C-alpha cells in the first residue's frame, strides 16, 4: 500500500481468479528518482510499478522473469548503482541490469534483457545470497556493493567497467533430417539447404 497524508492506495490490484490477477509476495521495494517503484518478489520476478490516475487500476505492473533473461525469479534486494544499473541479489548470484533496458523493453519488444550475472565463477564465496534480514545488500559511500551469501560476504566495485554482455555466435556443425545427413553450404557463403516436403524429425548439432 501507498500511505499518503489523507489517503491509502493499494499498490497491487486485488487478487482475482476470474481476472487472472497474481498475488505477489514482495521481499523488497525501491523507489527511483522518477517516482517509479521496483519490487522484488519471492518467486514472481522483478516488478516495475507505475502509478496511474485511475481509481479502478491505480498501478500498472510490468513483470520481468527468467522468460525475459533474468537468472532467477527470486529477488532479494534491488540496489541502484553508478551507470543507471540495478544490482539484484538472488539464489543464483548477483546480477546487473540497466534500468533503461527494463523501462524500454515493452516499447522495443526485445525478448531478452542484457543481464550480467556474477556467481562463484567470478569469485563469490557462494552463489546463493541471503534473503533474511534487511538490508539484503548495502552500497557503501565508495560505491562498493556488499552482499551477504551463505558462505560470507561478497564485495563488488559497481564503478568497474563491465562491457554489456553479447550473445555468443552460433555455428551449425551438422544437420540430420529423418536420420539422414543434410548437405550444408560452406560457412559464410549465405547459401540455403532445402528439406523435402514430408520431413519429420530434424536434428541440429551446433557449437
Amino acid at each position: 500500500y501507498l500511505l499518503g497524508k489523507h489517503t491509502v492506495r493499494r499498490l497491487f490490484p486485488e487478487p482475482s481468479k476470474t481476472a487472472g490477477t497474481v498475488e505477489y509476495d514482495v521481499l523488497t521495494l525501491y523507489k527511483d528518482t522518477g517516482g517509479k517503484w521496483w519490487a522484488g518478489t519471492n518467486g514472481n520476478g522483478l516488478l516495475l510499478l507505475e502509478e496511474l490516475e485511475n481509481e479502478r487500476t491505480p498501478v500498472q505492473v510490468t513483470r520481468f522473469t527468467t522468460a525475459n533473461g533474468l537468472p532467477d525469479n527470486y529477488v532479494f534486494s534491488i540496489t541502484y548503482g553508478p551507470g543507471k544499473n540495478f544490482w539484484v541479489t538472488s539464489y543464483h548470484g548477483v546480477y546487473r541490469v540497466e534500468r533503461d533496458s527494463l523501462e524500454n523493453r515493452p516499447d522495443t519488444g526485445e525478448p531478452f534483457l542484457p543481464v550480467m550475472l556474477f556467481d562463484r565463477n567470478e569469485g563469490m564465496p557462494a552463489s546463493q545470497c541471503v534473503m533474511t534480514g534487511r538490508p539484503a545488500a548495502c552500497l557503501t559511500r565508495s560505491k562498493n556493493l556488499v552482499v551477504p551469501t551463505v558462505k560470507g560476504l561478497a564485495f563488488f566495485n559497481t564503478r568497474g567497467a563491465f562491457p554489456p554482455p553479447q550473445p555468443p555466435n552460433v555455428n551449425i556443425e551438422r544437420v540430420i533430417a529423418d536420420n539422414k545427413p543434410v548437405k550444408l553450404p560452406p560457412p559464410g557463403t549465405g547459401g540455403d539447404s532445402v528439406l523435402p516436403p514430408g520431413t519429420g524429425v530434424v536434428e541440429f548439432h551446433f557449437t
Side-chain angles (χ1 to χ4, degrees):
Y1 294 88
L2 288 178
L3 304 181
K5 188 174 182 181
H6 301 291
T7 60
V8 177
R9 299 183 69 193
R10 186 183 178 95
L11 269 178
F12 299 101
E14 288 282 356
S16 169
K17 292 183 179 180
T18 57
T21 307
V22 178
E23 184 172 7
Y24 299 106
D25 183 6
V26 175
L27 298 177
T28 184
L29 280 171
Y30 172 79
K31 187 177 184 180
D32 64 25
T33 54
K36 297 178 181 178
W37 288 87
W38 301 83
T41 69
N42 191 21
N44 278 307
L46 176 66
L47 308 179
L48 167 58
L49 313 173
E50 299 178 82
E51 291 187 70
L52 304 175
E53 297 298 327
N54 188 322
E55 290 299 325
R56 294 188 61 184
T57 310
V59 175
Q60 175 179 299
V61 180
T62 304
R63 187 160 68 112
F64 307 95
T65 66
T66 53
N68 308 118
L70 297 187
D72 199 340
N73 283 332
Y74 292 83
V75 176
F76 301 159
S77 68
I78 305 168
T79 304
Y80 189 61
K84 297 182 178 180
N85 292 314
F86 282 130
W87 292 78
V88 180
T89 63
S90 69
Y91 277 121
H92 289 91
V94 178
Y95 60 89
R96 188 201 70 177
V97 58
E98 296 178 359
R99 188 181 77 179
D100 289 347
S101 68
L102 293 167
E103 293 179 330
N104 297 332
R105 193 194 67 83
D107 297 328
T108 61
E110 289 293 332
F112 294 105
L113 296 163
V115 175
M116 179 168 285
L117 175 67
F118 304 88
D119 54 22
R120 286 192 62 188
N121 294 322
E122 282 68 44
M124 290 181 62
S127 297
Q128 182 177 335
C129 301
V130 174
M131 65 179 291
T132 55
R134 291 292 179 267
C138 177
L139 190 66
T140 68
R141 292 181 180 178
S142 57
K143 302 303 180 183
N144 289 322
L145 182 69
V146 185
V147 176
T149 75
V150 294
K151 291 188 177 181
L153 294 176
F155 295 83
F156 297 85
N157 175 16
T158 62
R159 294 183 180 275
F162 302 106
Q166 299 295 326
N169 295 322
V170 177
N171 183 36
I172 298 179
E173 303 282 354
R174 189 183 183 194
V175 177
I176 300 175
D178 290 336
N179 297 319
K180 296 180 181 180
V182 177
K183 185 177 180 180
L184 300 177
T189 61
D192 296 325
S193 295
V194 180
L195 300 179
T199 301
V201 179
V202 181
E203 299 179 24
F204 293 92
H205 296 216
F206 62 92
T207 56

